[in-house]
Amino acid sequence: STQALFIMVKAHTLREATRTDLLKQLDDFKKELSQLRVAKVTGGAASKLSKIKVVRKDIARVNTTLTLLRRNALKEHFKKAKYAPLDLRNKKTRAIRRRLTKYEASKMTLKQRKRAIHYPKRVYAVRA
């Protein structure tokens, strides 16, 4: 079986496009997909049927790029804010997120500070 080659949209070209261009392209792809689905029902050519998959993937690529643009804009917006939305924060692991910060871990109680001052760590000169 020969497979027809279709020109699919490249992600790097999408990233350079503006939001309005992407939305227009998305609209075009959705129209094309609906036409291809009509062709499928009416018994269209095999080349049209195989193009459905390509167009679906193109739609996904455009949607992914739109999401990427939106998330980057939100990250930029919340960069200076005290708190960021949960989905924009670093995921890491649950244990790491709950761990004490470096500042919190380095804090000492009054008793610990006094003990550190009055009983400093002894340094011995050991001959080799």
Side-chain angles (χ1 to χ4, degrees):
S1 65
T2 59
Q3 204 171 31
L5 293 172
F6 300 107
I7 296 118
M8 62 180 189
V9 182
K10 299 284 186 208
H12 67 91
T13 56
L14 287 176
R15 278 189 226 110
E16 294 160 6
T18 61
R19 187 172 183 278
T20 51
D21 293 342
L22 289 171
L23 289 170
K24 185 182 176 303
Q25 207 166 9
L26 183 65
D27 201 40
D28 294 343
F29 282 137
K30 285 186 175 179
K31 282 178 188 163
E32 187 180 356
L33 184 63
S34 66
Q35 289 168 356
L36 290 169
R37 285 191 172 140
V38 168
K40 181 182 175 183
V41 172
T42 57
S47 61
K48 281 194 173 182
L49 296 182
S50 56
K51 193 170 183 195
I52 289 176
K53 182 180 177 182
V54 176
V55 175
R56 283 180 62 234
K57 302 296 177 190
D58 286 343
I59 290 172
R61 265 185 219 99
V62 173
N63 276 330
T64 303
T65 309
L66 282 167
T67 305
L68 189 85
L69 287 172
R70 194 179 77 245
R71 282 180 62 87
N72 285 344
L74 282 170
K75 278 181 184 176
E76 199 61 42
H77 178 267
F78 284 104
K79 196 172 251 180
K80 304 269 191 295
K82 185 174 182 180
Y83 298 112
L86 294 177
D87 61 333
L88 294 180
R89 294 180 197 172
N90 290 335
K91 182 114 166 74
K92 299 186 177 173
T93 62
R94 193 167 189 266
I96 290 172
R97 288 195 304 270
R98 277 150 183 74
R99 194 163 58 191
L100 292 176
T101 63
K102 283 193 171 74
Y103 173 74
E104 290 167 342
S106 69
K107 293 285 280 181
M108 294 172 89
T109 63
L110 180 63
K111 190 170 185 175
Q112 284 174 316
R113 285 198 304 270
K114 283 182 180 177
R115 180 177 282 169
I117 291 166
H118 295 296
Y119 302 102
K121 190 154 177 77
R122 293 182 180 167
V123 181
Y124 296 101
V126 180
R127 275 195 348 226

